[in-house]
Amino acid sequence: MKANKHIKRDDQATKIFDARSLANDYRHLTEILKSGMNVLDVGCGTGSISKDIANIVGENGKVTGIDNTENFILIGKKTYQSVANLKLIHVDLFDYNPEEKYDLIVSARTLQWLSNPKDALLKMKSFLKPNGQISILDYNHKAIEWVPSPPESMQEFYQTFLNWRKDAEMNNEIADDLADLLKEVGFRSIEVINSDEFYNKEVLDYKTKIGIWSKVAGSSQMVEEGYLDDNLRLKAIDEYNNWIEKGDVSMTMKLNEVRGRI
């Protein structure tokens, strides 16, 4: 899945992906999962959600997860080797040409990283069986809400993050554009399901969830590419972590699941 620039996906990203589950991070998908389904998970990471899908479709179904980061696939193959109906493949979506067709294709938090999401949807559409279904889950990064406002250093870092993404032709508001994109490539029966992620002190491990932006700032990629001063990056991490520890804080990340059929 190709964007205009190479996105570095490091150990921090691996930890984030490994911690995800179907129940917490793709929570409405269970409504459409059925025993015996053949499912493709595009941008599966380490396969942590894929393996939960495999458990639901059961021994008469199967799940294939694909990702273009080899290390994620290697980790997932080792971690989930006991899941007999799960296959993880290191391949780019645009290089993937399976002989089989799928009942359902899912893709979580993946199209946000692409400069060509319409092409990706067309490619996925070609893999579906007649009346097959697609489910795309993704963010509107411009609509994030923190209460109270985080430190100015983090606000500046976050705006730089949005600018960096925009310059790479990634869509910062793709969650709100997905329905139109699916229609443009010929999907029907479009459904939009709000899937916002809300974290406050009532949520287990909420500090880790809100602290995702410290992990994002932990990457020096934007510094290396000239978007950000490293002192500001480090200041943003420090002040944001202190803000989480000292305050009664919350964060809402705007997220939609959008479904369609061919």
Side-chain angles (χ1 to χ4, degrees), residues 17-200:
F17 292 148
D18 274 345
R20 286 178 176 162
S21 69
L22 181 65
N24 293 330
D25 300 290
Y26 210 150
R27 62 185 182 273
H28 298 294
L29 188 67
T30 53
E31 300 167 3
I32 58 173
L33 293 175
K34 298 177 182 178
S35 177
M37 271 186 162
N38 188 12
V39 181
L40 175 67
D41 185 356
V42 177
C44 65
T46 60
S48 59
I49 292 176
S50 313
K51 68 94 170 49
D52 291 339
I53 297 173
N55 288 332
I56 291 176
V57 301
E59 61 183 14
N60 293 323
K62 60 180 178 178
V63 177
T64 302
I66 64 171
D67 200 283
N68 65 357
T69 299
E70 184 177 19
N71 191 49
F72 294 165
I73 295 299
L74 291 174
I75 291 170
K77 283 183 173 181
K78 182 177 180 180
T79 303
Y80 306 120
Q81 59 184 312
S82 63
V83 184
N85 62 336
L86 173 64
K87 178 167 65 175
L88 301 177
I89 302 172
H90 170 229
V91 67
D92 190 282
L93 169 64
F94 294 103
D95 297 324
Y96 184 55
N97 296 293
E99 294 182 3
E100 61 186 333
K101 298 288 185 178
Y102 299 95
D103 300 297
L104 173 66
I105 296 177
V106 303
S107 186
R109 303 169 182 85
T110 296
L111 266 63
Q112 61 164 324
W113 297 109
L114 304 187
S115 61
N116 53 350
K118 189 173 178 179
D119 292 339
L121 290 170
L122 281 167
K123 182 76 171 179
M124 287 186 251
K125 183 184 174 188
S126 72
F127 300 156
L128 284 169
K129 296 178 181 178
N131 200 40
Q133 190 169 22
I134 194 170
S135 167
I136 307 293
L137 181 73
D138 231 319
Y139 291 109
N140 180 339
H141 286 298
K142 293 182 73 173
I144 192 170
E145 296 175 358
W146 284 286
V147 178
S149 296
E152 289 186 9
S153 57
M154 177 51 74
Q155 293 182 51
E156 185 174 349
F157 171 84
Y158 191 77
Q159 185 58 53
T160 303
F161 171 73
L162 295 181
N163 293 341
W164 173 78
R165 286 176 47 83
K166 182 179 178 181
D167 286 351
E169 299 182 11
M170 301 177 206
N171 185 346
N172 285 318
E173 300 173 274
I174 195 166
D176 292 346
D177 294 336
L178 281 170
D180 287 339
L181 284 170
L182 262 65
K183 289 176 186 176
E184 286 177 22
V185 301
F187 283 96
R188 59 180 176 81
S189 304
I190 308 295
E191 299 177 77
V192 179
I193 300 99
N194 179 272
S195 302
D196 289 353
E197 298 173 344
F198 174 75
Y199 304 111
N200 67 4

Side-chain angles (χ1 to χ4, degrees), residues 19 199-211 215:
Y199 304 111
N200 67 4
K201 64 182 180 181
E202 305 300 322
V203 177
L204 182 66
D205 201 27
Y206 82 102
K207 290 182 179 180
T208 299
K209 298 295 187 180
I210 297 176
K215 295 183 177 67

